[in-house]
Amino acid sequence: VKSEGPKLVPFFKATCVYFVLWLPTSSPSWFSALIKCLPIFCLWVFLLAHGINFLVSHRSASRILAGLMFSAVGDAFLIWQEQGYFIHGLLMFAITHILYSSAFGMKPLDLKAGLLMGLVSSSCYAFLYSYLSGPFTYLVAVYIALIGFMGWRAVAGVQLCNDLWTWTKLSACIGAMLFMVSDLTIALNKFCFPVPYSRFIIMATYYAAQMLIALSAVESRDEEDFRKRS
């Protein structure tokens, strides 16, 4: 963490700029889209700073970078969600969760964690169902399934009981949980009822989630350095 921290300074500065400016959502513009996406752009730079060879040789890192790219496009679409681009943003983030799931991998399987995430996801959809109508009835179901699957793969990587975990796997796990909190807040605020301080909750948990997931991409390098020292 100490070695990776300085590379995240631009991300923290860009995040502060977003919260300080706090541009109104009622007047979407390309400038507001840029300010919103800037922290994610900084996470691109964070991963690229590890070297192109690192990204090419480690598929999990390159998939997380690709996920961040789709996230930035999704963020831009959501700036104009009131103009009919909410579904476009939903699609971009659905692709993001598929890429993150692929990056986290299927080992260890951990069916208990999968069952737990399935129950949580099902409960969330059951609550939202009565508020949904039209295509959102199906689109939200698919989206919840995808983010629930992503959460399962992130949680499964943290084997605390067997001491088979690293700080990067724990980072991915916490990041996935925060991403779910952010998206659930969006769903509640958009489809169910106004959530107090919703924008702050959504963006704070979202930026933290993306940072932690980006940090999890450096695990391959940690393992490689460990083998060299050994």
Side-chain angles (χ1 to χ4, degrees):
V1 173
K2 187 176 181 180
S3 64
E4 299 298 334
K7 299 173 188 174
L8 287 169
V9 169
F11 165 79
F12 288 120
K13 288 182 176 180
T15 303
C16 289
V17 167
Y18 173 83
F19 284 108
V20 168
L21 292 182
W22 202 247
L23 298 172
T25 56
S26 57
S27 54
S29 66
W30 285 108
F31 179 70
S32 58
L34 174 63
I35 295 300
K36 184 182 181 184
C37 295
L38 192 58
I40 306 303
F41 294 157
C42 292
L43 292 178
W44 296 6
V45 176
F46 166 75
L47 290 180
L48 290 170
H50 290 82
I52 298 298
N53 291 335
F54 170 73
L55 293 171
V56 171
S57 59
H58 297 92
R59 291 183 178 180
S60 60
S62 60
R63 288 169 183 170
I64 288 176
L65 176 59
L68 288 168
M69 291 178 175
F70 277 99
S71 293
V73 178
D75 282 332
F77 275 130
L78 292 182
I79 287 287
W80 285 278
Q81 61 176 294
E82 298 302 326
Q83 285 71 36
Y85 288 96
F86 181 81
I87 292 179
H88 298 73
L90 197 69
L91 175 60
M92 292 299 103
F93 281 108
I95 296 172
T96 294
H97 297 316
I98 292 172
L99 288 166
Y100 286 168
S101 299
S102 178
F104 299 150
M106 292 301 295
K107 294 181 180 180
L109 192 59
D110 197 346
L111 293 177
K112 290 183 179 179
L115 178 61
L116 176 61
M117 293 306 301
L119 289 172
V120 171
S121 299
S122 299
S123 299
C124 290
Y125 182 69
F127 179 82
L128 292 170
Y129 181 77
S130 60
Y131 295 94
L132 302 173
S133 61
F136 285 115
T137 304
Y138 310 102
L139 292 174
V140 171
V142 173
Y143 186 86
I144 288 178
L146 289 174
I147 194 172
F149 184 82
M150 186 273 289
W152 169 32
R153 298 322 310 148
V155 171
V158 184
Q159 300 290 307
L160 294 174
C161 295
N162 300 325
D163 201 30
L164 299 175
W165 63 281
T166 62
W167 71 269
T168 48
K169 288 182 178 178
L170 185 61
S171 175
C173 176
I174 298 173
M177 296 301 101
L178 288 175
F179 215 134
M180 294 179 74
V181 170
S182 179
D183 282 356
L184 179 60
T185 307
I186 290 176
L188 291 174
N189 192 65
K190 182 173 182 63
F191 300 114
C192 304
F193 47 79
V195 177
Y197 308 106
S198 59
R199 185 181 174 191
F200 177 80
I201 295 170
I202 290 165
M203 297 310 299
T205 53
Y206 170 69
Y207 286 141
Q210 294 283 38
M211 180 196 69
L212 291 168
I213 291 173
L215 271 172
S216 73
V218 304
E219 179 172 9
S220 300
R221 167 163 286 190
D222 290 344
E223 292 174 348
E224 183 179 302
D225 292 343
F226 178 77
R227 284 194 297 270
K228 288 180 179 178
R229 290 196 298 269
S230 300

